[in-house]
Amino acid sequence: MPLVKSSYIAPRLFRNGHFSTIYSAKLRPSPTLVQQRERIDLPDGDFLDIDWSYASSTASKVAVLLHGLEGNAQRTYMKGQARMLVKHQWDVVAMNYRGCSGEPNLLYPSYNAGTTQDLHVILQHILALDRYDEIALIGFSLGGNLMLKYLGERDTLPKQLKKGVAISTPLSLEGSLESLSQFYNWVYRTSFLYNLKKKYKTKMLQFPERMTSSELKKIKSLLDFDNLYTAPAHGFEDAYEYYQKNSSLQFLPKITIPVLLLNAKNDTFLSPDCYPTAIANNNGNIYLESPEHGGHVGFHQTNDAYYSENRALQFLQEN
């Protein structure tokens, strides 16, 4: 304990991990949700955009949502989770990482799987409003890793921060890179790489002295991108040091608030060490749920409400 027996039963078509992943990312109708944008000035001179959604009456609880690699607050999975929470009287802050809100960020660094200092700024901003008794964190994929690292690396957490939910989370960044490098994942890694290279081209216009076309031509894989941009831009010697220092698996034993880790067994993005049964058995705060199906952020029940959205709400509201 706490290994959680999952009640998720995927509809037949969605028992195929690839179909579940692709449908949920590309074909699910976008949930209707009102979002109000706020820009946060960061201490280093950059900015973050966050998108608020509000419950119908004054809420005492707020959830911060963290998106995945090259996502944003408008992704279907973010809006679906936000809508579920708003319906049950939670306010929601959907974070856009640096450079992910539709406008390039100002500085050469952008974001990575371990940039917890930006999450901390957002939490301090929320606390300064003096409006909420309870704060929860929900992270998807890369956002789940970032969230877990934040919870495990800090000696103290705000007393209002009560729970976290990590969905389809690569606890080992190097392990997940190896999984994405397999032949059967070529569609996903090709899409990620296309978007990352597009972002690189935009940044070249801002920093022509640091980013060149000749360097761009060398980027032929996700590992190349992390070696040529992510690692040096954020102070790491190479991609492997970046993966090692930011993988959340090492931070799980130090987490002191209840966290639900929902990782499907047929998630092709994840490596075997993304199912930490031993840690869950030894840390009463880590609730590991590993259903047979669900793909990557694809826990379909109906288009209106996914299992992961209901499950996250249920976990947050349990005593």
Side-chain angles (χ1 to χ4, degrees):
M1 187 67 185
L3 296 176
V4 179
K5 183 177 180 180
S6 184
S7 63
Y8 177 56
I9 300 175
R12 185 163 296 277
L13 275 175
F14 292 88
R15 294 175 190 176
N16 179 289
H18 294 297
F19 181 82
S20 178
T21 300
I22 293 170
Y23 179 92
S24 300
K26 301 296 184 182
L27 301 176
R28 179 189 180 186
S30 182
T32 301
L33 180 74
V34 176
Q35 294 178 311
Q36 298 179 22
R37 178 153 293 184
E38 180 182 7
R39 177 155 295 185
I40 307 297
D41 294 322
L42 297 171
D44 61 7
D46 215 334
F47 69 90
L48 276 179
D49 289 328
I50 59 176
D51 290 309
W52 286 86
S53 297
Y54 295 101
S56 58
S57 57
T58 302
S60 63
K61 300 179 289 187
V62 62
V64 180
L65 307 189
L66 309 171
H67 62 75
L69 179 65
E70 285 304 282
N72 55 50
Q74 284 67 54
R75 287 298 170 93
T76 302
Y77 59 86
M78 294 280 280
K79 294 174 75 174
Q81 186 67 72
R83 184 171 68 172
M84 175 65 68
L85 291 162
V86 165
K87 282 183 177 180
H88 290 83
Q89 296 307 304
W90 287 73
D91 287 350
V92 172
V93 171
M95 205 171 156
N96 297 280
Y97 309 145
R98 300 189 194 209
C100 292
S101 63
E103 182 177 337
N105 67 301
L106 302 177
L107 302 183
Y108 178 59
S110 53
Y111 74 94
N112 63 59
T115 49
T116 54
Q117 64 271 25
D118 288 352
L119 172 58
H120 186 67
V121 169
I122 297 306
L123 289 173
Q124 293 303 306
H125 176 71
I126 293 171
L127 289 168
L129 298 175
D130 197 23
R131 188 186 302 165
Y132 301 104
D133 301 324
E134 184 174 341
I135 301 173
L137 303 177
I138 303 178
F140 299 86
S141 194
L142 176 145
N145 183 84
L146 192 154
M147 180 201 83
L148 293 169
K149 178 175 178 281
Y150 177 83
L151 294 177
E153 72 184 359
R154 307 187 75 83
D155 293 330
T156 59
L157 296 171
K159 67 180 187 299
Q160 295 91 340
L161 184 53
K162 304 296 186 183
K163 288 185 178 180
V165 179
I167 298 169
S168 300
T169 299
L171 305 178
S172 167
L173 298 177
E174 183 177 347
S176 289
L177 174 79
E178 292 172 357
S179 293
L180 279 170
S181 299
Q182 300 302 311
F183 173 76
Y184 49 77
N185 280 326
W186 69 270
V187 170
Y188 314 119
R189 67 173 177 271
T190 300
S191 176
F192 282 138
L193 192 60
Y194 173 82
N195 289 325
L196 290 167
K197 291 175 73 172
K198 186 177 179 181
K199 187 80 65 75
Y200 189 99
K201 290 178 183 178
T202 300
K203 268 203 173 299
M204 280 174 54
L205 301 176
Q206 295 174 277
F207 303 96
E209 73 286 357
R210 303 184 72 171
M211 309 173 79
T212 64
S213 296
S214 60
E215 288 291 288
L216 176 61
K217 290 177 182 178
K218 296 177 184 177
I219 300 175
K220 302 182 184 301
S221 68
L222 296 175
L223 178 62
D224 291 339
F225 183 85
D226 286 339
N227 266 321
L228 290 169
Y229 173 71
T230 309
H234 299 96
F236 302 104
E237 182 178 347
D238 57 21
Y240 291 108
E241 183 186 36
Y242 158 58
Y243 301 147
Q244 189 277 319
K245 289 189 173 180
N246 290 283
S247 292
S248 59
L249 184 64
Q250 63 197 304
F251 297 99
L252 293 185
K254 299 177 182 179
I255 290 178
T256 58
I257 64 171
V259 167
L260 173 66
L261 178 57
L262 179 63
N263 278 354
K265 291 180 180 177
N266 69 342
D267 186 337
T268 62
F269 288 40
L270 304 185
S271 55
D273 45 4
C274 294
Y275 307 89
T277 55
I279 293 175
N281 275 323
N282 289 293
N283 184 338
N285 289 310
I286 305 298
Y287 292 77
L288 175 62
E289 181 176 345
S290 302
E292 293 294 327
H293 307 109
H296 191 72
V297 197
F299 297 91
H300 183 278
Q301 281 187 315
T302 69
N303 283 335
D304 187 60
Y306 270 37
Y307 173 79
S308 52
E309 295 159 8
N310 280 306
R311 185 69 182 95
L313 174 68
Q314 178 190 42
F315 183 78
L316 296 185
Q317 300 198 148
E318 290 172 349
N319 293 326

